[in-house]
Amino acid sequence: MIRFICIVVFLILFLTLSLPILGLEWLLAKIDKEKSDYRSLRIVQKGFRFILKITGVELTVIGEENVPDEPVLFIGNHRSFFDILITYSRCKRLTGYVAKKEMDKYPSLRTWMRRLHCLFLDRENPKEGLKTVLQGIEYLKNGISVCIFPEGTRNTGKELSLLPFKDGALKMADKTGCAIVPMSMNNTAEIFENHFPKIKKTHVILEYGEPIYPADLEKDVRKHLGAYCQEIIQETINRNAKLV
């Protein structure tokens, strides 16, 4: 419970005390937007790493060398709020995460998320969902990676289960020709969700799979890209279960 309280206090302080930094970076972005964006990225990554240190997470990372130095579409299984902190803290390039529209309601958090190229997805409105996909395509074309969890929501089922991957979530790669990089995570729900509100010291496995270029796939496989990527992640989390 102490870890939970410490994280809540840190988040409140960060979101409050960082407001002047946001204002300063807004001004500096007018001089050099890319440098300002990278500074914002590194600031938030340091915050996320500090939170992970509080949680006592022991992280084993496999295959990080598989991530190409180019804009990619990251995809992963999603069982915990901490999936975002774990994966985002390792992004080397500018990366916008796709978040649910409800996250847009919190002013300071919303400003930071927009600063970091996050996309807000309205899952109930297909027209607005299409706009989010199109914005993601623009990001990829402009050198900014995108991360999305194709299950569409946080999976609260059994540890090695996956919800069906949505093909629409992968359209950004299909339309731009960028690589899809699978991220497979084991044991992240054990940090927090499995025993809310306690936060437990946990061993987590994160594996980056080999990049998938949709244009290199057979037509039938490309047509069912969601199922193809889901099978890869399912095989990986099954294999890595013994490492936890």
Side-chain angles (χ1 to χ4, degrees):
M1 193 65 179
I2 293 174
R3 287 190 177 103
F4 177 76
I5 293 170
C6 288
I7 289 171
V8 170
V9 170
F10 174 77
L11 285 172
I12 292 171
L13 289 174
F14 180 86
L15 291 173
T16 304
L17 299 178
S18 65
L19 287 174
I21 296 174
L22 279 169
L24 178 61
E25 289 300 340
W26 178 78
L27 289 171
L28 293 174
K30 295 181 180 298
I31 301 169
D32 192 325
K33 189 173 188 309
E34 186 176 19
K35 281 187 179 179
S36 177
D37 286 349
Y38 270 104
R39 278 194 300 268
S40 298
L41 168 65
R42 303 308 176 209
I43 289 168
V44 171
Q45 285 180 322
K46 285 179 182 178
F48 282 179
R49 288 176 188 136
F50 183 73
I51 291 173
L52 292 173
K53 190 172 182 179
I54 294 173
T55 66
V57 167
E58 178 191 346
L59 181 63
T60 297
V61 181
I62 303 169
E64 199 162 21
E65 68 279 1
N66 287 326
V67 182
D69 185 20
E70 61 192 46
V72 302
L73 179 67
F74 290 106
I75 62 168
N77 56 314
H78 189 27
R79 298 188 53 80
S80 171
F81 297 116
F82 284 90
D83 297 339
I84 297 158
L85 279 72
I86 289 167
T87 57
Y88 194 72
S89 63
R90 306 198 69 84
C91 291
K92 293 180 173 62
R93 298 176 60 94
L94 296 175
T95 305
Y97 273 53
V98 177
K100 59 184 179 181
K101 177 190 170 187
E102 289 76 10
M103 299 296 290
D104 196 29
K105 294 187 295 188
Y106 308 102
S108 183
L109 178 62
R110 176 181 64 223
T111 306
W112 265 113
M113 291 177 74
R114 288 181 176 173
R115 194 76 193 84
L116 298 169
H117 306 285
C118 287
L119 298 161
F120 297 97
L121 178 63
D122 187 343
R123 293 174 291 188
E124 306 300 323
N125 188 329
K127 188 176 180 180
E128 290 302 313
L130 178 59
K131 287 182 182 178
T132 302
V133 171
L134 293 174
Q135 182 64 62
I137 289 171
E138 283 303 306
Y139 279 177
L140 288 161
K141 287 179 177 178
N142 290 321
I144 300 168
S145 294
V146 175
C147 178
I148 192 167
F149 298 106
E151 290 171 283
T153 188
R154 189 166 52 84
N155 179 7
T156 57
K158 293 182 179 179
E159 170 60 24
L160 297 179
S161 68
L162 290 175
L163 299 173
F165 279 23
K166 301 180 185 302
D167 287 315
L170 306 174
K171 290 290 185 186
M172 287 180 268
D174 199 34
K175 297 296 184 183
T176 61
C178 78
I180 298 169
V181 176
M183 302 185 299
S184 306
M185 288 171 277
N186 287 73
N187 215 32
T188 56
E190 191 58 26
I191 301 171
F192 177 60
E193 283 77 7
N194 287 352
H195 34 74
F196 173 86
K198 293 182 180 179
I199 290 176
K200 287 179 63 177
K201 193 173 181 178
T202 305
H203 181 206
V204 169
I205 309 293
L206 166 62
E207 179 166 346
Y208 293 91
E210 293 185 3
I212 302 162
Y213 290 90
D216 294 341
L217 300 174
E218 294 180 4
K219 186 177 180 180
D220 189 54
V221 174
R222 188 171 178 177
K223 187 177 178 181
H224 302 286
L225 196 52
Y228 177 75
C229 293
Q230 179 173 345
E231 184 178 349
I232 290 171
I233 288 180
Q234 185 72 71
E235 289 176 356
T236 307
I237 61 174
N238 288 347
R239 183 180 68 246
N240 288 341
K242 65 180 182 293
L243 301 177
V244 175

